[in-house]
């Protein structure tokens, strides 16, 4: 029914012999929310980095809205409509929170004033407005994660890649953030792919869950089915989570 | 105009107005010696500003900026000596030549991901390479040096930039103010924000849509172009050029020390640093001349610089701005 918006086909990526991502394929229809889960070291962040153009895949291809992302630089992929956050936050330390977000908005405008005004809107949406004029180093880690989201949102992405942005949030804060993403998704039709350990958020948000283990896709399907999949349970057993 | 003064506290206006007035009347109040010191101060404030744009704004370290001074100086001087064409016409060629050199260095460095100190080494290598080329170029005076006919210092020939020190003073003052204004406008533009993003975290900047290569190239081009203009001034003020000194790495270092002391990445750092270091150097020269001890000046000077770098690592200006209460951005509580 839905033409796929993001299509990942047979993607592999190795680091010096270590297969971080191995022959991974999945599709996302436009406007969908999917979650990418798996134990630490499963290759989730590497998958993001390959989609965002940080690494070229060793094999396989990635298409966004029918256009191949092969050989594109991260900034070109951002312009193509992919906004991403960094699991280990990477703000611009010397800039204020507002300026950090404005840099994202400058993706589509040359007018700094307009970029800052847009940044204010995004900051408000994420509950960061009162922190606008401080430096990122003086806000809490959960706030810095929100800042990552704000910067990515400010680029006006069509596909949003979220890498563990809810880690460290309290349950009520998690629910708030889930609500925010659901609203953005509902209002703008933004496609969202999230890496998340917080199952509360995964279950509440995603229509589909993709499970990676040792770089391989071991299960995919509805959230309630995936959490009952014996293969998934097995790979998490050693970890003690889920 | 609006964008230029936006967000400045009222007392900053007042201080700027006082400073501007003082600099405008200064040459009428001081003697020849002090005037020559002021010219050097402003010269270093200007080149510091140009260098700061590259390292302080965009995070790209150059230790070979004497190259661009040299290119600007030799281009305009050679054309003047051989064809009698004045600097106002040739400054464009000088800028073009400097930008070309800067772009070649930038292209090699940024295309092949030569970062940090290795990029700085590349800039030094190009300055050295150019020095050797000039050494062997008869048309540029080779090792013998290139000399501009010294004109009557009493009359003023603005068109050929021949005239009294007072004329040079106002020219370099105008250049310094223009560079400050340009840097302020750039810093608050998209370009400036992109440069700062690259300086803070290049990979992160790229993820948010910044074409890192392009914006670094723009930074090098503007910085080398501005520095090339300083070279034109240098040639016509000093009237002689020698490759050994013009392209020397010590010259490049001399150009940047003021900014390091004043505050890298700040708008007033290069100016504050120049006003601090140059007179300090002159004072030490005067004092140590009396004592008759050679080598004592660089010794004290080095101690001063080291002391500031140790105790005010972000430079004098952020500290002074804090004391004057000028560091609060209008938009919020600041830091
Ligand atoms: N840049 C890199 N260089 C070398 N190894 C890497 C690099 N990035 C990731 N890896 C390795 O790839 C594997 C997958 O890592 P990652 O994608 O970060 O996992 P996840 O995000 O699922 O926790 C890990 O074993 C990790 O050590
Ligand atoms: Mg990860």
């Amino acid at each position: 029914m839905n033409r796929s918006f993001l299509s990942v086909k047979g993607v592999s990526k190795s680091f010096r012999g270590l297969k971080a991502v191995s022959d991974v394929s999945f599709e996302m229809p436009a406007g969908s929310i999917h979650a990418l889960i798996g134990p630490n070291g499963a290759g989730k962040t590497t998958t993001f980095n390959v989609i965002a153009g940080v690494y070229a895949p060793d094999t396989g291809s990635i298409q966004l809205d029918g256009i191949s992302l092969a050989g594109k630089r991260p900034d070109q992929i951002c312009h193509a409509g992919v906004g991403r956050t960094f699991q280990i936050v990477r703000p611009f330390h010397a800039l204020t929170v507002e300026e950090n977000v404005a840099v994202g908005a400058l993706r589509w405008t040359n007018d700094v004033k307009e970029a800052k005004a847009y940044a204010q809107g995004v900051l408000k949406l994420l509950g960061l407005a009162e922190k606008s004029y401080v430096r990122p180093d003086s806000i809490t880690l959960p706030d810095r994660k929100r800042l990552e989201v704000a910067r990515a949102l400010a680029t006006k992405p069509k596909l949003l890649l979220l890498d563990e942005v809810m880690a460290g949030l309290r349950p009520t804060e998690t629910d708030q953030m889930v609500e925010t993403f659901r609203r953005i998704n509902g209002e703008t039709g933004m496609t969202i792919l999230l890496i998340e350990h917080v199952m509360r958020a995964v279950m509440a948000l995603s229509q589909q869950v993709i499970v990676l283990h040792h770089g391989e896709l071991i299960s995919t399907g509805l959230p309630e089915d995936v959490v009952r999949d014996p293969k998934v349970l097995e790979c998490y057993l050693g970890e003690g989570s889920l | 105009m609006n964008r230029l003064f936006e967000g400045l506290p009222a007392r900053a206006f007042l201080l700027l107005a006082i400073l501007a007035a003082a600099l405008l009347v200064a040459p009428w109040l001081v003697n020849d010696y002090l005037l020559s010191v002021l010219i050097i101060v402003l010269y270093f404030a200007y080149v510091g500003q140009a260098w700061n744009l590259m390292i302080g704004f965009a995070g790209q370290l150059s230790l070979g900026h004497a190259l661009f001074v040299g290119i600007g100086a030799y281009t305009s001087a050679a054309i003047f000596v051989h064809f009698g064409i004045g600097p106002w016409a040739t400054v464009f060629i000088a800028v073009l030549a400097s930008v070309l050199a800067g772009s070649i260095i930038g292209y090699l460095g940024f295309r092949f991901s030569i970062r940090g100190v290795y990029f700085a080494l590349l800039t030094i290598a190009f300055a050295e390479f150019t020095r050797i080329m000039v050494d062997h170029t008869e048309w540029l005076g080779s090792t013998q040096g290139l000399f501009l006919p010294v004109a009557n210092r009493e009359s003023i020939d603005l068109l050929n930039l021949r005239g009294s020190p007072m004329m040079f003073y106002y020219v370099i003052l105008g250049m310094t103010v223009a560079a400050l204004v340009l840097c302020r406008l750039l810093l608050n533009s998209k370009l400036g924000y992109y440069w700062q993003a690259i300086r803070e975290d290049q990979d992160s900047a790229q993820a948010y849509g910044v074409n890192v290569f392009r914006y670094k190239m723009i930074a090098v081009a503007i910085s080398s172009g501005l520095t090339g203009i300083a070279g034109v001034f240098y040639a016509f003020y000093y009237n002689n050029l020698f490759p050994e000194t013009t392209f020397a790495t010590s010259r490049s270092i001399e150009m940047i020390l003021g900014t390091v002391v004043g505050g890298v990445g700040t708008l007033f750092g290069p100016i504050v640093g120049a006003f601090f270091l140059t007179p300090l150097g002159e004072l030490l020269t005067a004092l140590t001349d009396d004592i008759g001890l050679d080598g004592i000046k660089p010794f004290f000077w080095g101690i001063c610089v080291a002391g500031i770098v140790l105790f005010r690592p972000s430079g004098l200006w952020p500290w002074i701005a804090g004391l004057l209460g000028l560091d609060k951005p209008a938009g919020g509580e600041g830091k």
Side-chain angles (χ1 to χ4, degrees):
Chain A
M1 37 164 240
N2 258 328
R3 185 166 86 87
S4 87
F5 184 68
L6 174 72
S7 147
V8 175
K9 280 203 194 104
V11 164
S12 300
K13 172 70 196 167
S14 298
F15 296 107
R16 278 172 256 105
L18 171 90
K19 267 217 155 170
V21 176
S22 175
D23 195 24
V24 166
S25 304
F26 61 89
E27 311 260 321
M28 288 183 74
S32 61
I33 302 182
H34 287 192
L36 191 58
I37 67 168
N40 278 326
K44 305 180 296 293
T45 298
T46 305
T47 304
F48 267 24
N49 280 333
V50 171
I51 297 172
V54 176
Y55 307 124
D58 300 334
T59 63
S61 65
I62 295 156
Q63 291 202 333
L64 184 78
D65 210 4
I67 295 160
S68 169
L69 297 184
K72 290 209 160 81
R73 291 189 312 264
D75 55 298
Q76 293 171 318
I77 291 177
C78 177
H79 279 276
V82 178
R84 63 89 50 98
T85 68
F86 288 94
Q87 181 182 350
I88 297 161
V89 297
R90 302 180 73 159
F92 308 121
H93 299 278
L95 301 183
T96 64
V97 165
E98 183 196 60
E99 289 169 333
N100 264 274
V101 182
V103 168
L106 288 170
R107 207 274 303 156
W108 47 268
T109 176
N110 293 326
D111 182 350
V112 171
K113 246 196 195 125
E114 190 182 4
K116 285 187 175 173
Y118 192 79
Q120 275 305 324
V122 177
L123 287 169
K124 208 165 283 165
L125 188 71
L126 290 162
L128 272 178
E130 346 53 293
K131 312 270 166 63
S132 296
Y133 305 109
V134 302
R135 302 284 188 282
D137 292 348
S138 55
I139 61 177
T140 62
L141 184 61
D143 274 348
R144 263 177 269 167
K145 296 238 167 188
R146 289 192 182 97
L147 175 58
E148 285 287 313
V149 178
R151 294 200 294 173
L153 278 178
T155 65
K156 290 191 180 172
K158 289 182 261 179
L159 170 67
L160 181 63
L161 305 176
L162 302 168
D163 199 345
E164 298 195 26
V165 292
M166 297 189 226
L169 293 191
R170 284 186 289 262
T172 50
E173 294 176 317
T174 304
D175 293 345
Q176 265 173 23
M177 189 110 87
V178 164
E179 202 38 57
T180 308
F181 290 136
R182 198 178 273 145
R183 238 181 72 199
I184 294 168
N185 175 256
E187 285 170 12
T188 68
M190 191 183 290
T191 310
I192 300 175
L193 178 59
L194 69 151
I195 295 175
E196 201 49 73
H197 281 305
V198 182
M199 286 314 284
R200 186 191 178 88
V202 172
M203 302 305 279
L205 264 177
S206 53
Q207 292 127 18
Q208 287 261 330
V209 176
I210 301 153
V211 189
L212 293 187
H213 186 43
H214 292 319
E216 288 171 27
L217 192 155
I218 58 162
S219 180
T220 177
L222 299 174
E224 51 272 29
D225 295 340
V226 162
V227 293
R228 278 193 223 99
D229 185 337
K231 273 187 291 182
V232 176
L233 292 172
E234 198 185 321
C235 89
Y236 270 103
L237 266 181
E239 299 267 317
S241 31
L242 258 191
Chain B
M1 257 345 205
N2 266 343
R3 266 175 67 204
L4 189 56
F5 294 114
E6 213 172 68
L8 279 183
R11 71 175 98 182
F13 272 113
L14 190 68
L15 283 169
L16 271 176
I18 293 171
L19 186 68
L23 285 171
L24 276 174
V25 298
W28 304 90
L29 306 176
V30 300
N31 61 26
D32 286 355
Y33 168 71
L34 278 178
L35 184 61
S36 73
V37 173
L38 276 178
I39 291 173
I40 302 170
V41 166
L42 290 173
Y43 172 79
F44 279 119
Y46 175 88
V47 290
Q49 198 75 259
W51 175 75
N52 189 40
L53 188 148
M54 217 172 118
I55 175 67
F57 297 178
Q60 308 306 309
L61 178 61
S62 162
L63 293 178
H65 251 50
L67 170 66
F68 308 123
V69 173
I71 290 175
Y74 268 100
T75 309
S76 58
I79 296 175
F80 185 65
V81 167
H82 296 295
F83 308 114
I85 302 170
W88 299 107
T90 54
V91 71
F92 299 101
I93 302 170
V95 168
L96 227 63
S98 304
V99 170
L100 183 69
S103 301
I104 292 171
I105 296 171
Y107 184 87
L108 291 175
F110 306 147
R111 202 29 108 216
F112 301 107
S113 294
I114 303 169
R115 291 190 191 181
V117 265
Y118 298 101
F119 179 73
L121 286 178
L122 188 69
T123 61
I124 294 178
F126 264 82
E128 275 300 295
F129 174 72
T130 311
R131 176 184 65 80
I132 294 165
M133 292 232 304
V134 175
D135 264 349
H136 294 90
T137 308
E138 213 60 54
W139 197 68
L140 296 174
S142 62
T143 49
Q144 308 299 307
L146 187 65
F147 298 91
L148 281 77
V150 179
N152 184 355
R153 287 243 162 194
E154 298 312 310
S155 70
I156 289 177
D157 177 4
L158 198 56
L159 207 61
N160 288 313
L161 212 58
R162 315 273 69 202
S164 69
M166 197 175 285
M167 179 198 75
F168 282 102
Y169 174 86
Y170 283 112
V171 168
I172 192 71
L173 178 62
M175 282 167 62
T176 307
V177 171
L180 174 68
V181 167
L182 179 73
C183 283
R184 159 117 182 135
L185 291 176
L186 286 176
L187 199 56
N188 291 321
S189 72
K190 176 173 183 167
L191 206 56
Y193 279 107
Y194 270 17
W195 284 339
Q196 293 175 79
I198 291 168
R199 180 192 70 198
E200 294 299 310
D201 188 333
Q202 174 167 321
D203 299 326
S204 181
Q206 199 169 28
Y208 297 102
V210 180
N211 183 338
V212 169
F213 177 76
R214 181 202 291 171
Y215 286 94
K216 285 205 251 184
M217 285 300 284
I218 295 174
V220 178
I222 298 177
S223 180
S224 52
L226 286 175
T227 311
I229 299 175
V232 178
F233 177 87
Y234 180 94
F236 283 79
Y237 181 61
Y238 286 108
N239 296 313
N240 58 69
L241 296 171
F242 299 96
E244 301 310 321
T245 49
T246 308
F247 295 100
T249 303
S250 59
R251 270 296 160 82
S252 296
I253 302 294
E254 195 178 33
M255 278 169 66
I256 72 180
L257 271 183
T259 305
V260 171
V261 164
V264 174
T266 65
L267 280 171
F268 281 94
I271 298 170
V272 169
F275 269 96
F276 179 78
L277 272 196
T278 310
L280 181 72
E282 292 296 323
L283 195 70
L284 284 171
T285 307
L287 287 176
T288 49
D289 270 0
D290 287 349
I291 307 168
L293 271 177
D294 249 9
I296 208 127
K297 177 202 159 186
F299 177 72
F300 274 116
W301 209 61
I303 286 183
C304 283
V305 173
I308 290 161
V309 171
L310 275 175
F311 294 108
R312 297 275 162 237
S314 48
L316 286 175
W317 171 245
W319 175 60
I320 295 172
L323 291 180
L324 296 174
L326 297 175
D327 55 346
K328 313 255 188 299
E333 60 265 48
K335 189 188 168 187

